[in-house]
Amino acid sequence: MERRVFGVETEFGITHQGGEHRGLPPDELARYIFRPVLKWGRSSNVFIPNASRLYLDVGSHPEYATAECDDLLDLIASDRAGELIMHDLAQRAEAAMAEDGFDGSVYLLKNNVDSQGNSYGSHENYMIPRTTHFRRLSTILLPFLVTRQILVGAGRLVPATDETPAHYAFSQRADHMWEGISSATTRSRPIINTRDEPHADAALHRRLHVIVGDSNMSETTSLLRYGATDLVLRMVESGVPVGDFELENPIGAIRHISHDISGTATVKVRNGPEMTAVDIQSGLLDRARRFVRENGAHHDQVEQIFELWERTLQAVASGDHSSIERDIDWAIKKRLLTDVAERGGLRQGHPKLEQLDMAYHDVHPRRGVFNVLAAHGRVSTQLEPERIERAIVDPPSTTRAALRGRFLSTARALGAEHTVDWVHHKLVDRPLDALMLKDPLLAEDPRLDTLLAKLGDRVETLREQNLAQRREQAVPLALSERYTLASPREFAEPPLI
Amino acid sequence: MSTQPQKRPHGGDEDGGPAAEATPVSGSAQAQKRAGELDSMLDEIDSVLESNAEEFVKGFVQKGGE
């Protein structure tokens, strides 16, 4: 596959704290957060002008699903835009609540576990060809995903239990996985979910749904996460030999690896030896490098991804994490917790450290601890802030998302009732003209222009708003109107002769 | 596709003024400066966190998702 469609769905944790009284419970808080969304789209499940989806999930989790991206940096930009969109909604909720007499602060956390161990996810989607052999896919991909946490885990301070003392683990999500592959989600959280909803031509494509990942704050960690996974998928698809790392017990292994920050935990490979996560990842990295040597790099970040991949494995293997503590979420957070613990003489598992573990994921630009680190130049970045801000309003330009964005923004500007989802585009008054776009890689389609032309010449009268104009609109930036109707006077005046 | 080189200031982002360049900084002075920077950042983090850590942690409870 030359181009692949990627997407990531992030569920956020929410909490209301710091007021004189106890904070609002999550369901009431979520209603405040989604108030502007409901007003804008008469639903708490909407596609927004940047073609992403914004909705309220089970358990009062605000969720943001990026639009289809075919470029890793577009994907990371769209995901980061999701954080800013959530922050905007949180600020508005806080103001609205204050008006109603509820003081305190609204927190939106891009993490994966609350203080009682309830978990919520960060789901990756990768388009793969329908012809991909599923047994081969799971044989190669499962051991990769089980061990990937040592590269891209978000890190977690695990509270003490009766059996184990408080300790630092690679992953937030590892303890919440119950199966290798299945079609369930909440009931038995599998690493790979086989629910077959391609949102595309089912004869050609599958949507691989990976729910084992931690939500990442670091753009660099994100690049490694999606980039390495894409490379492994390429090898799966090409049919090259990728070694045999199939694990005897993937679920036992994922937990075992997560809780051993020394990286020395071994897991049993089926019909093979005991191996560490570093052994398995090194084997996959070697093969990926060989694959790229033979087939060429398919995008500009491949070498950077290899370098990060190797450097992180070396750091884990040596136990000296200083070379990755600007780049890899679990190592950035671990450094911070160590600094704070040393300065304050705090024992492992001190509430202050648990609070920091959560606050690291706070999306607030000035309060979120990751963002404070970034402001002090202590973490690496991949994107200019301007690109992230553009991603709040602009759909990715190289996929179907561009068409969805144009359709919904045009229909809104012209006051035409419409419905839209990943595939369908429908004008309510013209049900027979509903348009299905089944190729997520196609960013142009004359049928969409034909459909919009049915709304009349008025399409010609639309004026696209620039970013400054959109910021001036009263609604959250992400919900601002992309087009306005030109004032009639612009047409009434004859050209000067 | 625009790629941005990773920023790696590695303690090198001194205030940049000519004065800073004129006076060579000894190793221990630099370490002291770094420690000072870390301290002030940790103070900043302290100041933005809710003051009652235990209450904050306990108060953050939600049902599971997906």
Side-chain angles (χ1 to χ4, degrees), chain A residues 476-491:
Chain A
L477 179 59
L479 303 179
S480 62
E481 300 298 338
R482 173 169 163 188
Y483 302 114
T484 54
L485 286 172
S487 64
R489 200 188 300 152
E490 271 184 58
F491 297 92

Side-chain angles (χ1 to χ4, degrees), chain A residues 126-304:
Chain A
Y126 300 90
M127 188 168 81
I128 58 175
R130 176 64 55 175
T131 50
T132 307
H133 192 279
F134 220 76
R135 169 86 187 121
R136 174 176 162 81
L137 177 77
S138 68
T139 306
I140 297 168
L141 197 62
L142 262 183
F144 169 74
L145 292 174
V146 164
T147 53
R148 189 182 66 164
Q149 56 180 313
I150 67 169
L151 304 172
V152 301
R156 180 179 176 222
L157 187 55
V158 182
T161 65
D162 293 343
E163 291 95 50
T164 51
H167 61 281
Y168 193 72
F170 284 110
S171 165
Q172 300 240 321
R173 274 292 263 184
D175 290 347
H176 302 277
M177 292 291 128
W178 297 97
E179 275 190 271
I181 298 194
S182 103
S183 61
T185 50
T186 4
R187 274 177 295 121
S188 71
R189 294 211 190 89
I191 292 169
I192 300 171
N193 183 283
T194 54
R195 182 175 54 182
D196 196 7
E197 292 169 3
H199 299 319
D201 187 342
L204 299 174
H205 307 297
R206 272 190 96 101
R207 179 171 62 106
L208 178 70
H209 195 53
V210 173
I211 73 177
V212 70
D214 290 356
S215 296
N216 289 114
M217 298 303 293
S218 157
E219 293 165 11
T220 308
T221 312
S222 297
L223 179 65
L224 178 56
R225 172 186 181 185
Y226 307 123
T229 307
D230 167 58
L231 281 159
V232 170
L233 286 173
R234 271 174 193 270
M235 292 194 286
V236 170
E237 290 156 1
S238 75
V240 297
V242 189
D244 188 1
F245 301 111
E246 195 175 9
L247 299 169
E248 261 190 16
N249 176 358
I251 294 305
I254 201 170
R255 294 172 191 204
H256 190 43
I257 291 166
S258 177
H259 291 279
D260 176 42
I261 202 77
S262 79
T264 54
T266 59
V267 293
K268 180 85 173 67
V269 172
R270 188 169 287 181
N271 308 319
E274 292 272 338
M275 296 179 95
T276 65
V278 171
D279 294 335
I280 292 172
Q281 282 291 332
S282 301
L284 290 166
L285 170 60
D286 282 349
R287 284 163 179 83
R289 279 201 154 123
R290 188 187 314 157
F291 179 75
V292 168
R293 269 199 304 276
E294 286 165 6
N295 297 275
H298 63 294
H299 60 72
D300 294 344
Q301 288 86 34
V302 170
E303 277 312 313
Q304 190 189 351

Side-chain angles (χ1 to χ4, degrees), chain A residues 326 371-380, chain B residues 7-11 13 41:
Chain A
R326 299 172 46 78
N371 293 329
V372 174
L373 293 173
H376 283 262
R378 288 183 172 265
V379 296
S380 60
Chain B
K7 294 177 200 139
R8 298 198 141 267
H10 262 313
D13 57 348
M41 186 191 67

Side-chain angles (χ1 to χ4, degrees), chain A residues 286-327:
Chain A
D286 282 349
R287 284 163 179 83
R289 279 201 154 123
R290 188 187 314 157
F291 179 75
V292 168
R293 269 199 304 276
E294 286 165 6
N295 297 275
H298 63 294
H299 60 72
D300 294 344
Q301 288 86 34
V302 170
E303 277 312 313
Q304 190 189 351
I305 289 163
F306 283 149
E307 190 277 324
L308 266 170
W309 195 341
E310 179 169 4
R311 177 152 50 89
T312 307
L313 293 180
Q314 280 169 353
V316 175
S318 70
D320 174 4
H321 305 151
S322 57
S323 66
I324 54 169
E325 60 197 20
R326 299 172 46 78
D327 305 314

Side-chain angles (χ1 to χ4, degrees), chain B residues 20-58:
Chain B
E21 276 168 37
T23 35
V25 190
S26 76
S28 76
Q30 230 172 33
Q32 211 166 21
K33 180 163 179 284
R34 267 205 294 275
E37 282 169 358
L38 176 66
D39 245 3
S40 74
M41 186 191 67
L42 295 183
D43 285 341
E44 182 182 334
I45 290 175
D46 245 355
S47 71
V48 296
L49 294 180
E50 294 289 345
S51 51
N52 189 333
E54 197 161 356
E55 200 173 284
F56 178 85
V57 171
K58 280 195 184 139

Side-chain angles (χ1 to χ4, degrees), chain A residues 36-37 40 85 88-89 92 392 470 473-481:
Chain A
V37 179
W40 180 85
I85 293 169
D88 191 348
L89 292 172
R92 286 163 196 267
I392 295 175
R470 293 182 72 165
Q473 299 181 28
V475 295
L477 179 59
L479 303 179
S480 62
E481 300 298 338

